[in-house]
Structure formats: C-alpha cells, structure tokens
Amino acid sequence: MQDNELYCLNLLAQADKDRYLSLLYAPEAKRGALAALYAFNVEIARIRDVAKDALPGEVRLQWWRDLINGAGHGETESHPVAACLMATIKQYSLPLHVFDAYCEARIFDLYNDPMPARHDLEGYCGETASVLIQMAASILDTDRAPQFSEAAGHAGVAQSIAGLLRLMPLHRARSQIYMPADIMQAVGLDADTYLGSGHEAEKTNLVRAMIALADEHFAAYKKAARGLPASLKPAFLPVSLVPSYLRSLSHNADKATTEINDISPLRRQWTMMKAGLIG
C-alpha cells in the first residue's frame, strides 16, 4: 500500500474498528481505496469535535466540498486522506454529487437542532452511512453494485441508528438530538425532557422504539441482500454487527442514555469473521 493508504488504514484502526476489520476481508488491491473512503467519513464525523463551534465547522466542511467539486486540488498533497480520496474517486469514477450530498447532510452534526421526524433521520442515515456502503460496493464490483442499492440503503439506516443509540450519552452531553421528535413525542418526551434528568421510563421506551426501527431496516436489508455476491460482501460486513449492538442495547436500555454501549472486541471479531466466511 502507498503511504497515504497506510495513513488511512491506521486512522481507521484507531477511529473506526468495525470498518477497519471489514477491510481484512476485501481484496488486497481494493483495500487502499476502501480505506480512503472510510477515512474520509472519519474526518467528516469528527469535525464537530475538532472545530467546537458551528461556523468553523462549516468552513472545514466546505473545504471538503470544494475539494470534491474541483477546487483546491493542489492542497491535497499535504492531506493524506484528501489525496487518497481524490485518487479513489478518479480511479473508480465515483459520482461527485453523492459526496457533496453526504457533506450537506453532515451539516446537521454541527448544530443542536432536533431531528424533526423519522423520515428525516432515515434521510440523514441514507445520505451518510448508506452512501458509504454504496460507494464501497462500487469500488469492489462496479457492475453488480447497482443491483444491491436497496440493500445498501436499508443496511446504512440500520447501522447508523445502532451507532447513534450507542453514542447517545455523548450526543446528549453536547445537546445534540438525533432522536426524531415524532418518536420522542410518542413516548412522552420532548427536547428538554430528553436532554434533562429524570423521565427514565420514557427514555427507556425511546431506546426500545429506536431499536425496533433499526430492526425493521435490518430485516429489510437482509431481504434485499438475498443473492449478494461474494465480491460485494466486504462492503456490507460492518452491518453484520448491528444485531449484536441492538441486543446489547436492549439488555441495557435503561442505561443507554447515560452509558456508552459497546460489545467486546472478541465478539466483534467473531461476528464479522463468521459473516465474512458464511454470512
């Protein structure tokens, strides 16, 4: 692998272990491109932590959008993720508008506006996590990837909701509300009661409602993914962890808003290995 690709791979090993592990099941020749795609996601996802405030965050996000849309290519030499991403986009003819829409969706991360409704959350997940799966599939098998775009759509929503549930304590601490307002209202919560103390029963019901939504999309993904060829399997491998994450969240639903939820490294590796071999 080239130096920039190795940089991306090392970044994933630290910041996105699920997708990092999935690379081990991808053809060696494709790992660098996949690492670039996933490292780009890491860079965008951590803008809120790096920038702190919304305005400088939007400036950073705009830098990526300008880069992807053809401006500032000379700056990529000093940014290994940017250089690797642009090389990957060019090599695999990935559509630029998809990356631009991804960045547009990520503006939501920079503010504390509540997620209005279920369909808004599904749209956000579709433009972010689902897109990563679709682009990874295109890198792996350009010809067959479009046949499984529906599977990628549902897979990304299920994966993203599981991730948002796992990180609820972090998001609540900085007043971010990814939980849809209509689902919160259905269980007796609003923005203030969700972010505040108390109302534990309602928060537990919210967690269970969101688990059910993720389960719904995971079931739809499994149905749409029937006949998934081996060539595309690495793109979907991180999604194989969703049931494990949701079971853990279900067992600890009363603590999900205050304690970050995770599964053991051994279970993560075993689950992905099993899915990579037979799933």
Side-chain angles (χ1 to χ4, degrees), residues 134-252:
Q134 290 170 338
M135 293 301 97
S138 293
I139 290 169
L140 290 164
D141 190 337
T142 303
D143 294 332
R144 304 199 67 180
Q147 302 172 34
F148 294 90
S149 59
E150 181 182 355
H154 287 296
V157 176
Q159 180 188 26
S160 188
I161 292 175
L164 292 173
L165 284 172
R166 291 167 59 209
L167 295 177
M168 283 178 78
L170 172 63
H171 295 149
R172 288 181 67 245
R174 55 193 189 193
S175 300
Q176 283 183 290
I177 307 177
Y178 286 97
M179 303 298 109
D182 55 349
I183 296 180
M184 288 200 298
Q185 183 178 8
V187 299
L189 293 170
D190 58 22
D192 291 335
T193 52
Y194 170 71
L195 294 175
S197 59
H199 298 273
E200 300 306 323
E202 290 86 350
K203 290 173 184 174
T204 299
N205 288 336
L206 172 63
V207 172
R208 296 199 183 282
M210 295 301 295
I211 290 173
L213 179 58
D215 270 330
E216 178 184 326
H217 280 281
F218 187 81
Y221 147 65
K222 293 296 287 185
K223 181 179 180 180
R226 289 172 184 167
L228 184 74
S231 60
L232 294 179
K233 189 180 293 186
F236 291 86
L237 276 182
V239 189
S240 67
L241 298 171
V242 167
S244 294
Y245 286 134
L246 295 182
R247 280 194 297 271
S248 180
L249 283 160
S250 182
H251 292 155
N252 299 282

Side-chain angles (χ1 to χ4, degrees), residues 21 32 37 48 145 176 234 274:
L21 285 175
L37 178 69
R48 168 104 184 203
Q176 283 183 290
K274 185 169 64 173

